[in-house]
Amino acid sequence: MFTINSEALEILAEMQKDRTRDTDFLTICSSGTGCGGPLLKIELRTPLDDDILQEVAGFSFHIRRDIHDRLDGAVIKGTETFWGKKLKIDNGTPCL
């Protein structure tokens, strides 16, 4: 199970509101790998047949099966960056 901070809840609500295709849903997936394991992100994507569906804080997430275990204890955070508001998934996996 993962949690979501209040800033991230606002960003997720905006993403849901602004989605343009009815076939796209909030999806947690990998954007590659880093020194601490897979880099995780949230995007609006078409679900895969083997995605795991999980509801947290009123949002339904499609989670790619191969990264589902990496979310145990993770926190989805909303942060303000130079490029605007962004989501970050902190799963506590440090670079060694």
Side-chain angles (χ1 to χ4, degrees):
M1 177 67 97
F2 57 92
T3 58
I4 305 170
N5 75 7
S6 59
E7 293 84 2
L9 290 172
E10 293 176 19
I11 296 170
L12 291 166
E14 287 179 35
M15 287 176 72
Q16 290 272 73
K17 184 182 75 173
D18 294 341
R19 79 181 183 143
T20 57
R21 296 186 327 178
D22 291 338
T23 57
D24 288 346
F25 297 92
L26 291 172
T27 303
I28 301 176
C29 53
S30 175
S31 63
T33 57
C35 60
L39 302 173
L40 305 178
K41 64 180 178 178
I42 300 173
E43 293 184 336
L44 290 171
R45 289 189 172 197
T46 302
L48 299 178
D49 291 337
D50 66 341
D51 281 354
I52 296 169
L53 188 60
Q54 189 168 353
E55 187 167 319
V56 176
F59 291 95
S60 293
F61 294 91
H62 292 262
I63 304 168
R64 298 299 193 237
R65 185 165 296 280
D66 57 341
I67 58 104
H68 183 262
D69 292 343
R70 301 268 182 182
L71 291 173
D72 192 31
V75 179
I76 297 176
K77 299 176 178 181
T79 60
E80 188 71 41
T81 71
F82 177 77
W83 300 275
K85 294 178 182 179
K86 301 288 181 191
L87 292 171
K88 178 181 187 246
I89 301 176
D90 181 359
N91 63 349
T93 307
C95 290
L96 302 175

